[in-house]
Amino acid sequence: MGTDVETGSERFTFGIPNLLDGIELVGLALGLFGIAEFMKSVNQYSEVNTRYSNVGLRDLRPSRDELRRSIPATLRGNIIRSLCSLIPGTGPTIASFISYAAEKKVSKTPEEFGTGMIEGVACPKASNAFVRAG
């Protein structure tokens, strides 16, 4: 697909000017795998857990214990965010990964990370906010 290198004629462009340069390999691979995954899962269904369907406004607010546990993690995330913003080329994603790893390292219960532990959420979120690269 695209323009033939030897003759300069169009191949498989079907009159679409955007196809003159061909198709990028990354876009093609993502499209093929994405469509295959969609087709594989389109007819599958699973039951919806209605356990959390009646969530009120009070359920969305953190408890006092969660606030108490999240303050040190938030402060560490802000420090990591500040340090990462000093390095050219780093952004919020890198700061978030570094802060998650650091918080897991200083935690007394690192095996609970990945289960929604408030420290594992608060630290990367604090480091993710307002980081500007460059």
Side-chain angles (χ1 to χ4, degrees):
M1 188 170 289
T3 307
D4 188 5
V5 178
E6 294 179 14
T7 64
S9 62
E10 300 175 7
R11 296 183 302 174
F12 305 111
T13 60
F14 307 107
I16 302 172
N18 292 339
L19 295 178
L20 287 173
D21 290 335
I23 296 178
E24 294 290 327
L25 182 62
V26 174
L28 178 67
L30 287 175
L32 286 175
F33 288 120
I35 290 171
E37 184 64 28
F38 172 76
M39 296 302 284
K40 185 174 111 179
S41 65
V42 72
N43 288 327
Q44 295 178 356
Y45 65 93
S46 61
E47 294 193 22
V48 177
N49 185 0
T50 59
R51 178 177 167 196
Y52 300 108
S53 62
N54 295 328
V55 177
L57 188 60
R58 289 186 182 197
D59 297 327
L60 298 176
R61 292 186 301 181
S63 66
R64 286 185 189 264
D65 182 53
E66 288 175 335
L67 283 174
R68 182 188 55 77
R69 289 173 36 208
S70 68
I71 288 174
T74 303
L75 292 175
R76 281 190 288 271
N78 282 322
I79 292 169
I80 292 171
R81 174 189 72 195
S82 299
L83 294 174
C84 283
S85 65
L86 295 174
I87 303 169
T90 61
T93 306
I94 294 172
S96 180
F97 278 107
I98 291 173
S99 65
Y100 182 81
E103 190 63 30
K104 191 172 182 179
K105 208 171 260 284
V106 299
S107 175
K108 294 176 183 173
T109 56
E111 65 278 354
E112 292 183 17
F113 273 67
T115 62
M117 191 171 167
I118 191 71
E119 293 90 347
V121 175
C123 188
K125 182 61 182 168
S127 69
N128 192 357
F130 305 115
V131 173
R132 301 287 182 242

